[in-house]
DNA sequence: CAGAGATTGTACCGATCGGTACAGCGAGTC
DNA sequence: GACTCGCTGTACCGATCGGTACAATCTCTG
């Protein structure tokens, strides 16, 4: 499964051919279609679901249940930085959102970002921010993460990612303006 | 050419099949390969070059030659908003940066963002910012634009893009911290 | 050890991929 | 009207696409 995810991550949905998948996982087509009768679409859907549940456990839930906003944000940033390997690893959800396969997985993609956004806004509200400011800042954080991944990869410079994460943290924790 | 660009934009490099290109442009394969003997790669390269020169004329040069930073930033934001149709249109350069075809066009992609970054940092320095702050803010702006495009598309909500552009403008023009 | 069910490799399917070859077409030139 | 030459449609190429069929093989239970 992790191998499968990595293929989609680095080749996109249309670029991830069954030959590549077969090679990366070490499984023949027979096995692949035994476990995923729905073919490529099902593989991608399950990978997305796996990512979703990783984020649910490691990011969303900690945000929702935290009683210390500053600490919660710091934890999130740490988890994000390690998950995306400081900008070297792509966000599959973002990659799919940009591709032609977006429509097929629109629901899952939307759900993922929406839940992240809600969880982050919740913890920001708890820090004393108004609902509108909290939502604005949480959306800004997601924008920054996705943009930092794009730009770091485009410029082939992971310092861009690190700097963006630092700036984002400052902005998230700034006192209400 | 604009039709060609739109095919790559909405399907990505690998997703843009010759059949789609032929249909979108109304040209048969014969004509396509007459104008682009290098095939798909040449088409994409020329589309990228076209985008690059559009940004050079409409964004980069105005930034470099402006003597009023606030006005220059406002003009850039306006041009960006109209070019990306308030978040409904994708950034082909970003799309390619994320795809498997990244390596093929790495030079062009890198050049595009680097020149944008340099031009924006220049105008920020002119507004009185130190070199390091100017570069940090300009990179932040590019991150925000790319991220806003990703998130707006993922959430299918162009308000995300508008809000991000507004926040970004404020940040770019804020007094030195 | 026998039998059942899960798992696998391999051959194969029609469709489509990017790309080539080439015969024709029309608009100019002499 | 013959000739060229830039352009176009079409037929075709081998390779690969996602997917199927199925026999062979494992593995586990009794």
């Amino acid at each position: 499964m992790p191998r499968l995810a990595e293929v989609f991550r680095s080749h996109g949905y249309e670029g991830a051919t069954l030959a590549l998948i077969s090679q990366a996982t070490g499984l023949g087509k027979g096995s692949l279609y035994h476990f995923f009768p729905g073919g490529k679409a099902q593989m991608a859907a399950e990978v997305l679901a796996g990512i979703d549940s990783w984020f649910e456990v490691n990011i969303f839930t900690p945000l929702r249940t935290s009683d210390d906003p500053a600490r919660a944000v710091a934890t999130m940033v740490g988890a994000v930085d390690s998950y995306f390997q400081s900008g070297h690893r792509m966000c599959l959800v973002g990659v799919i959102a940009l591709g032609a396969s977006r429509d097929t997985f629109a629901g899952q993609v939307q759900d993922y970002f929406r839940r992240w956004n809600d969880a982050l806004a919740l913890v920001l509200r708890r820090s004393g921010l108004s609902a509108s400011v909290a939502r604005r800042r949480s959306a800004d954080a997601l924008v920054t993460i996705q943009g930092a991944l794009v730009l770091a990869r485009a410029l082939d410079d992971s310092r861009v990612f690190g700097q963006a994460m630092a700036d984002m943290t400052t902005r998230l924790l700034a006192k209400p303006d």
Side-chain angles (χ1 to χ4, degrees), chain A residues 73 124 129 133 136-145 163-177:
Chain A
V73 166
L124 291 180
L129 264 45
V133 171
R136 183 137 47 91
R137 287 197 186 177
S138 68
D140 169 66
L142 301 195
V143 161
T144 304
I145 292 169
Q163 183 62 251
M165 290 304 97
D167 291 355
M168 179 191 77
T169 306
T170 307
R171 261 181 267 144
L172 279 176
L173 299 177
K175 60 172 183 257
D177 41 26

Side-chain angles (χ1 to χ4, degrees), chain A residues 21-37:
Chain A
I21 294 171
S22 179
Q23 183 200 343
T25 58
L27 296 172
K29 285 203 215 179
S31 314
L32 250 21
Y33 275 84
H34 176 73
F35 294 116
F36 306 99

Side-chain angles (χ1 to χ4, degrees), chain A residues 6 48-49 120 172:
Chain A
E6 224 51 49
L48 278 178
L120 183 53
L172 279 176

Side-chain angles (χ1 to χ4, degrees), chain A residues 66-137:
Chain A
S66 167
D67 54 358
D68 179 348
R71 194 189 197 84
V73 166
T75 304
M76 177 187 92
V77 172
V80 164
D81 186 75
S82 92
Y83 181 84
F84 292 118
Q85 295 167 7
S86 302
H88 290 294
R89 196 199 217 186
M90 284 292 94
C91 173
L92 178 57
V93 190
V95 168
I96 285 191
L98 287 194
S101 55
R102 173 210 174 207
D103 297 358
T104 315
F105 307 104
Q108 281 183 271
V109 167
Q110 211 162 334
D111 205 52
Y112 166 85
F113 283 116
R114 204 130 61 178
R115 295 205 336 277
W116 193 346
N117 199 12
D118 290 347
L120 183 53
L122 183 67
V123 82
L124 291 180
R125 277 200 67 174
R126 244 183 244 137
S127 77
L129 264 45
S130 72
S132 71
V133 171
R135 287 202 75 78
R136 183 137 47 91
R137 287 197 186 177

